[in-house]
Amino acid sequence: MDGKYDFQKMENKWRPYWSAIDLYKTGNDAGKPKYYILDYFPYPSGDGLSVGHCRNYVPTCVSARFMRKRGYNVLHPMGWDAFGLPAENYAIEHGIHPSITSARHCATYRRQMKLVECSYDWSREISSTDPEYYRWTQWIFLLLFRRGLAYQSLGSQWWCSKDKTILANEQVIDGRCWRCGTLVSKKELKQWYFRITDYAERLLDDLDGIDWPEPIKVMQRNWIGRSEGVEVIFSAETPDQSQEVKIPVFTTRADTLFGVTFLVLAPEHPLTKRLTTEGQRDQVTDYVERAQRLTEIDRLATDKSKSGVFTGSFAQHPITGGQIPIWVADYVLMGYGSGAVMGVPAHDSRDFAFAQTYNLPIVQVVSPDGNEHGLEACYTEPGLMINSGAYSGLSSTVGGRRVAAELAEKGYGQEQITYKMRDWLISRQRYWGAPIPIIHCAECGPVAVPAEDLPVLLPDTDDFAPTDDGRSPLARVESWVNTVCPKCDGPARRETDTMDGFACSSWYFLRFASPDYDAGLFEPEAMNYWLPVDTYVGGAEHAVMHLLYSRFWTKVMYDAELLPFTEPFSQLRNQGVLHAADGLRMSKSKGNVVTPDEVAAQHGTDALRAFILFIGPFDGDVIWNDTNIKGVDRFLERYWKLAQEIKEDDMEIGPAYGQAQDSPLNPGEDAFRREMHRTIKRLTGDYEQFKFNTAVAELMRYLNFLVDQRREQIRASFWRQALETMTLLLCPISPFITEEIWQEVLGHTEGSVHQVPWPSFVEDLTRAEEIDIMVQINGKLRDRVTVPADIDDEQLIVLVLDREKVKNYINGKQLRQTVIVPQRLVNVVVS
Ligand code: ANZ
Ligand code: ZN
């Protein structure tokens, strides 16, 4: 090699070398401890990868490389979540079959990931659109079907008559289609659902045992939305007095039962029609139709003025027997509780707003001190019960329980746990997905396709655009649809809906254990060895659906005795978002995308990777700014130059890495060696804790130290050791330059630097240089801390202010200032 730092030359040299030695290939090697680190299953879009995506893929690659060095057998695979609406819409827009566009987009992603030198084991690559993959997605569908967890039911869907398509809730804005602005309507369609609600309790409980970011757990808990309360049964008569009907309502506040002044039914409530009197019919019908056009989000908005209409009927209070008017209002949702509420305007803010709008009576039944005050706003706190018959005077907590007990005794109610979560709507009336493996027979009903007939292949057709009647395009492929019933051999039709893409991504992590296995989802031994996933990394935006669905399927498979664990991802980490220089999300339509290709062409993959890590904390949001990438370039060039120098001066006489240094050290060498051990220790901690930005900073600092030390009296053998250490610590981040220096400068020409174990450190050598600092509060000695001698002022103050003793002294007081006497004391001034 000549003296110049030439990243292009190095990349051209080492890429083919590494593939020739199969550097990233992973065997199912049970002799070593395993580590499975996985990225979210990417959906390859036509835009390709931006540097933003690299904030996911570079850190996991570094972590995989680090863990390999620490003696783990590391599984780090990649695959494509290539089914789904965006792929299909893209194909329709460009008039090309989605299988072609998808393959093209996957190829782009693969090429870019290789450019970034992500250390995936490409021999395990999978795609959800591969029949050998979706065969098993279908198999799991049937597992759920057999276990009573997949069912069909009529569901109303948003429908845009202009675009002729079903819209998701998020695609309806103010009652209009997000694309064309047409008023949307609801279409009743038979849909497939997975009964995830059966698993609500376990999905909630098991969150406690996994190492996930707390905000994600909170979002899952809120999504599941467990609520403990009472179901209270009111009774009413139909307007013609021919029938008595029961109206159950779910309440979390049984203590307010005596304050009920009206009942409210959701517009879609099955009793709405039956309880409406002749005189109110037109108004109610009109109201119900309007309500159906609003989305749930709009209906629940607390700032929205309440609207509703009286049905004309009355219900009976279960304890007082009083007459209570029954209303219909859209702030009550059909999908929650029983779709009806008891209106207690004195103590519920929505009921309060409603009562004010329609002049309904407001009766206070809980008060902070047991006295009745005129209510300006509703009082939602607990307190003492008033105006509540025999319960008056009790605390609302105790009283509430007794009211519930009386209701239960009389058969008017029971304790109930309710969840906000709904069942998982799985069917899509679109082409580009895994067909649902069901055959409909007039005699036998829905019948599972026998396992040996899987996969049910997606028919190859160019007629894949969505239809105007909301039916799947598959329904038009008659030759495919018509089949025979597996049970009775009679004529039958295939299910024409396909599965939502979330089905494909709910189990892909299992497939990587044995991607070519054809006798099941996975080869049991490989699954036992590799799973669960140790570290799962992706963006925080998938907090609920994907992660919840994967957890659900894992539990179902556990119940079916297919898996020995109940949680798929032991540890979850979310990388921060990388915004474009204009502060917006990078997207092709905004023209603000920076691609890894352009950065790598200009600075090299080594610098790109180091910069991606250096730009900010792994989990922090940052804005792209490539002025600092020059700093990274300079760092790599200086490291290169130092290696050349060391080689020219000293290398011949230095012993190989790891050989003992027996002769006594001079003081300079002692300090030199300690610095090396401290650096190894810090880097070890940084990589373990995903602190990649400080890892880069630490390596830069170490390089500066080494360059400074070139003037000191330090023997050549120490230089070799320092350079080897620097190289090993840096190689997970910048794989090319380190390989070049390892092989060409340090002379290790066998294998690869990436196969050499992580350097170890001697704890004693990292510790020795510590000093005691006195801590004063307002000039009085209050505490002492032991800190590294080279601690900087900011770190020192953070550490001091975090001491229990110090916290106690400044508790409640105002921090005025901190004064540092270097190496001796910190004085904290408070007032
Ligand atoms: C009477 C009452 C009095 C209520 C009071 C609250 C306060 P969480 O905690 O979220 O579970 N509710 C019940 N079903 C509903 C539905 N389908 N749509 C809209 N609201 C519904 O909320 C439970 C409370 O939400 C229930 O308790 C009910 O109002 C309302 F001082 O009943 B409450
Ligand atoms: Zn049949």
Side-chain angles (χ1 to χ4, degrees), residues 10 45 56 88 100 177 191 372-373 430 446 475 481 513 616 673 735 781:
M10 290 190 293
S45 83
N56 188 171
E88 183 175 315
I100 297 170
C177 170
Q191 304 281 333
E372 186 162 358
H373 314 274
R430 298 292 294 246
V481 171
R673 190 177 56 151
L781 181 66

Side-chain angles (χ1 to χ4, degrees), residues 232-234 257 316-322 324 406-407 410 412:
V232 184
I233 295 167
F234 289 76
L257 187 61
Q316 217 180 26
H317 191 285
I319 293 184
T320 66
I324 295 167
E406 183 182 338
L407 288 170
K410 291 187 168 157
Y412 289 136

Side-chain angles (χ1 to χ4, degrees), residues 227 250-253 256 331-333 336-337 339-342 344 347-348 350 420:
S227 181
F250 174 70
T251 179
T252 44
R253 294 289 306 273
T256 64
Y331 75 93
V332 175
L333 300 176
Y336 188 60
V341 307
M342 58 184 220
V344 185
H347 304 292
D348 179 280
R350 287 178 298 173
K420 297 237 155 54

Side-chain angles (χ1 to χ4, degrees), residues 452-517:
E452 61 272 19
D453 293 347
L454 297 179
V456 176
L457 288 174
L458 186 64
D460 189 12
T461 171
D462 285 333
D463 181 20
F464 50 75
T467 40
D468 50 6
D469 57 1
R471 284 190 314 154
S472 163
L474 294 187
R476 295 194 297 261
V477 190
E478 281 293 320
S479 58
W480 179 85
V481 171
N482 293 312
T483 183
V484 291
C485 170
K487 262 195 191 153
C488 70
D489 278 338
R493 288 175 68 81
R494 287 190 190 281
E495 170 64 57
T496 56
D497 285 357
T498 53
M499 277 186 257
D500 179 16
F502 280 116
C504 310
S505 57
S506 293
W507 76 280
Y508 77 107
F509 46 91
L510 301 174
R511 191 66 183 161
F512 285 126
S514 47
D516 302 318
Y517 190 64

Side-chain angles (χ1 to χ4, degrees), residues 511-695:
R511 191 66 183 161
F512 285 126
S514 47
D516 302 318
Y517 190 64
D518 64 1
L521 302 169
F522 44 72
E523 198 237 311
E525 230 170 86
M527 180 279 296
N528 264 310
Y529 175 62
W530 285 117
L531 283 133
V533 175
D534 295 285
T535 302
Y536 195 31
V537 181
E541 68 277 10
H542 285 289
V544 179
M545 288 190 285
H546 161 60
L547 291 172
L548 202 64
Y549 297 154
S550 303
R551 297 181 60 219
F552 165 52
W553 274 24
T554 300
K555 289 176 198 305
V556 173
M557 288 189 246
Y558 171 83
D559 290 349
E561 294 180 11
L562 288 164
L563 296 178
F565 52 87
T566 55
E567 285 292 333
F569 315 120
S570 308
Q571 185 186 60
L572 177 72
R573 293 290 176 262
N574 299 130
Q575 81 273 7
V577 179
L578 177 65
H579 297 284
D582 54 13
L584 303 170
R585 216 167 229 287
M586 284 193 185
S587 89
K588 214 168 203 176
S589 58
K590 295 193 202 105
N592 58 6
V593 176
V594 179
T595 64
D597 310 58
E598 57 195 273
V599 179
Q602 208 182 337
H603 303 269
T605 294
D606 279 344
L608 165 69
R609 291 169 58 103
F611 182 60
I612 289 287
L613 301 171
F614 191 50
I615 195 165
F618 163 78
D619 53 3
D621 292 353
V622 290
I623 290 186
W624 178 259
N625 168 350
D626 60 4
T627 50
N628 295 332
I629 199 169
K630 305 245 163 60
V632 172
D633 286 343
R634 227 172 300 125
F635 161 65
L636 293 176
E637 274 162 33
R638 290 178 74 211
Y639 160 59
W640 177 265
K641 204 168 137 241
L642 178 73
Q644 307 302 317
E645 267 178 44
I646 294 174
K647 180 177 183 168
E648 276 160 30
D649 300 359
D650 316 301
M651 203 50 93
E652 291 75 36
I653 49 169
Y657 177 75
Q659 283 174 14
Q661 307 287 319
D662 293 317
S663 51
L665 317 183
N666 66 46
E669 287 171 343
D670 184 53
F672 189 80
R673 190 177 56 151
R674 285 176 191 282
E675 193 54 38
M676 185 184 83
H677 283 267
R678 271 197 294 273
T679 306
I680 298 173
K681 182 177 180 178
R682 290 195 194 127
L683 266 293
T684 307
D686 285 348
Y687 282 141
E688 276 172 351
Q689 296 158 44
F690 271 52
K691 290 185 183 163
F692 302 108
N693 62 325
T694 57

Side-chain angles (χ1 to χ4, degrees), residues 233-493:
I233 295 167
F234 289 76
S235 52
E237 274 183 352
T238 50
D240 60 5
Q241 299 181 332
S242 66
Q243 276 171 311
E244 202 194 271
V245 296
K246 296 204 178 313
I247 310 172
V249 304
F250 174 70
T251 179
T252 44
R253 294 289 306 273
D255 57 307
T256 64
L257 187 61
F258 289 80
V260 176
T261 57
F262 53 93
L263 290 192
V264 189
L265 305 179
E268 309 85 344
H269 198 287
L271 290 176
T272 301
K273 240 190 192 150
R274 282 175 68 194
L275 288 173
T276 300
T277 58
E278 222 24 74
Q280 294 297 98
R281 184 154 315 276
D282 287 351
Q283 274 196 56
V284 171
T285 314
D286 190 49
Y287 183 79
V288 169
E289 267 169 20
R290 264 184 296 137
Q292 280 176 343
R293 275 206 287 274
L294 295 175
T295 68
E296 225 165 71
I297 298 157
D298 295 334
R299 282 171 58 164
L300 281 180
T302 41
D303 53 352
K304 174 181 169 288
S305 63
K306 296 285 168 284
S307 69
V309 41
F310 180 43
T311 61
S313 292
F314 292 85
Q316 217 180 26
H317 191 285
I319 293 184
T320 66
Q323 289 288 96
I324 295 167
I326 305 172
W327 286 65
V328 176
D330 65 6
Y331 75 93
V332 175
L333 300 176
M334 195 55 228
Y336 188 60
S338 61
V341 307
M342 58 184 220
V344 185
H347 304 292
D348 179 280
S349 54
R350 287 178 298 173
D351 297 344
F352 185 80
F354 191 73
Q356 283 200 317
T357 310
Y358 294 104
N359 267 318
L360 295 162
I362 299 177
V363 177
Q364 189 182 3
V365 291
V366 177
S367 124
D369 55 5
N371 296 319
E372 186 162 358
H373 314 274
L375 276 181
E376 302 262 301
C378 71
Y379 176 73
T380 56
E381 302 295 309
L384 294 176
M385 289 171 69
I386 56 173
N387 295 329
S388 297
Y391 298 94
S392 296
L394 292 177
S395 81
S396 46
T397 343
V398 172
R401 258 182 261 134
R402 295 212 188 147
V403 170
E406 183 182 338
L407 288 170
E409 201 180 271
K410 291 187 168 157
Y412 289 136
Q414 62 199 27
E415 286 182 6
Q416 196 179 49
I417 294 168
T418 306
Y419 299 94
K420 297 237 155 54
M421 186 170 65
R422 315 283 167 77
D423 277 341
W424 169 10
L425 171 66
I426 183 68
S427 50
R428 293 282 177 275
Q429 291 72 43
R430 298 292 294 246
Y431 173 70
W432 194 232
I436 291 178
I438 292 285
I439 290 170
H440 296 280
C441 166
E443 294 297 315
C444 315
V447 179
V449 171
E452 61 272 19
D453 293 347
L454 297 179
V456 176
L457 288 174
L458 186 64
D460 189 12
T461 171
D462 285 333
D463 181 20
F464 50 75
T467 40
D468 50 6
D469 57 1
R471 284 190 314 154
S472 163
L474 294 187
R476 295 194 297 261
V477 190
E478 281 293 320
S479 58
W480 179 85
V481 171
N482 293 312
T483 183
V484 291
C485 170
K487 262 195 191 153
C488 70
D489 278 338
R493 288 175 68 81

